[in-house]
Amino acid sequence: MLKRACGFLTKLWIIAYLTSSPLAHAQEEQADIVWGINNSPPFHIVDGYFAKQGVCDAMIAAFQRALPEAKHEIVNYPQARIGALLSQGQNVCYPCLIRHGVETDLIEYSATVFEYPPHGIITRKELAEEWRTKFGDPVDLVELLKTRKYRFGQPVTRLYGNLQPYIERFLHKTSRYSEISGRDAHANLLAMISAGRLDFTIDYPMLLNYHNQVLPIDLVFLPIEQNQGETVEGAVGCPTTTWGKRAIDMINGAIPAVVADEQFNTTKDRWLLPQIP
């Protein structure tokens, strides 16, 4: 009898948890678009002086203005959970998803909303000057990595597209490679580079643009020879379900208005334009 009662209470707890989550309410009310966000400045800025002024925050707001007749919901989950929900076909869309040019059975991509400048090196000024002299400008990343001399940090959720194989070949499983985790992984990583505990990382210029304004650091951005001329396409990703395809149709129809949205472009340009000394 006690075992049966415990099982019944467990079921009640699961039902209460699922029906109390933001995503459950969004799906129950059949929102037209559910935006899944996570704390990742300057894509999404959850708190602080620039709260809700991230690139993706501004993009969502522009879609809300372009689609006033649609019901929008915003849910805040860790990035890994949003990816899991998408792959499970749940009613959630991920703004600012990177288009990799590879079709997938799990994600329906919108048309491109905007483009990111390519990844580059973030390091201290004295190293930047040294590397320009030794490895060129833009920097030949392969030649730099082949020295196996400099300490590199990579957030656990970050991958570098065409540059990733170089990191894996020359740095993985060496004493010069560190993975940084946690909610503030990017801020902690840049602080470690500034303090001399690490020498460099690779990321978008907008990451440095943001953290130079909120942290007491003095770092610079260096372009990389291996990805010069490339751009990174930012799009919206929704599940390949009837709901997801309907959401993507609405999003695609609104993209021209979003691209022309003055508030969105002001915020986007603030973070995306590189600051190269």
Side-chain angles (χ1 to χ4, degrees):
M1 184 68 177
L2 179 60
K3 182 177 180 181
R4 183 179 300 175
C6 290
F8 177 71
L9 288 174
T10 300
K11 290 179 181 178
L12 284 180
W13 182 88
I14 293 172
I15 293 170
Y17 171 79
L18 292 174
T19 56
S20 66
S21 71
L23 184 59
H25 283 306
Q27 295 193 0
E28 180 183 306
E29 297 168 12
Q30 289 297 303
D32 296 302
I33 306 174
V34 182
W35 301 100
I37 72 170
N38 61 295
N39 184 58
S40 54
F43 294 92
H44 296 288
I45 305 175
V46 175
D47 48 31
Y49 182 76
F50 295 110
K52 300 183 180 179
Q53 296 179 47
V55 176
C56 306
D57 300 322
M59 191 187 82
I60 291 173
F63 273 112
Q64 290 174 320
R65 288 189 290 271
L67 295 168
E69 73 285 356
K71 180 174 178 56
H72 300 259
E73 296 282 347
I74 298 176
V75 295
N76 189 338
Y77 291 132
Q79 183 176 342
R81 185 172 181 193
I82 296 173
L85 292 170
L86 268 173
S87 66
Q88 293 164 11
Q90 298 292 317
N91 291 1
V92 61
C93 297
Y94 195 33
C96 298
L97 193 64
I98 303 303
R99 291 176 62 97
H100 295 288
V102 179
E103 296 297 325
T104 171
D105 294 331
L106 300 176
I107 298 175
E108 187 86 12
Y109 286 97
S110 74
T112 300
V113 183
F114 65 97
E115 294 181 339
Y116 302 86
H119 290 108
I121 293 168
I122 298 176
T123 188
R124 296 184 296 281
K125 283 186 176 180
E126 64 272 17
L127 284 177
E129 294 172 4
E130 174 187 335
W131 293 350
R132 286 193 184 105
T133 301
K134 288 183 176 179
F135 308 116
D137 187 7
V139 172
D140 186 328
L141 179 64
V142 173
E143 290 303 313
L144 186 156
L145 296 179
K146 282 167 64 176
T147 67
R148 303 182 189 272
K149 176 181 176 182
Y150 304 101
R151 297 160 299 174
F152 175 81
Q154 180 171 1
V156 293
T157 58
R158 176 67 83 230
L159 295 174
Y160 303 123
N162 294 336
L163 303 179
Q164 186 64 30
Y166 302 131
I167 303 300
E168 294 173 0
R169 177 181 175 186
F170 294 107
L171 288 176
H172 276 193
K173 298 180 181 179
T174 74
S175 61
R176 297 298 179 181
Y177 177 83
S178 297
E179 272 194 329
I180 312 300
S181 61
R183 184 178 185 269
D184 298 317
H186 289 94
N188 293 337
L189 172 55
L190 296 184
M192 292 169 72
I193 295 171
S194 181
R197 294 171 58 194
L198 293 173
D199 293 319
F200 73 112
T201 189
I202 293 174
D203 220 298
Y204 297 112
M206 69 177 186
L207 181 77
L208 183 59
N209 293 351
Y210 170 77
H211 284 291
N212 272 338
Q213 297 189 47
V214 299
L215 291 173
I217 60 175
D218 189 17
L219 303 177
V220 296
F221 178 89
L222 295 174
I224 294 173
E225 179 182 316
Q226 280 75 14
N227 63 5
Q228 280 301 287
E230 295 180 5
T231 55
V232 183
E233 297 182 38
V236 179
C238 299
T240 53
T241 61
T242 300
W243 179 91
K245 292 177 180 179
R246 185 168 59 246
I248 287 295
D249 285 343
M250 296 178 67
I251 287 165
N252 280 336
I255 285 176
V258 170
V259 170
D261 188 283
E262 184 175 350
Q263 294 180 54
F264 169 57
N265 282 307
T266 298
T267 300
K268 172 175 67 69
D269 291 345
R270 175 184 198 171
W271 302 124
L272 262 64
L273 294 181
Q275 298 175 356
I276 302 173

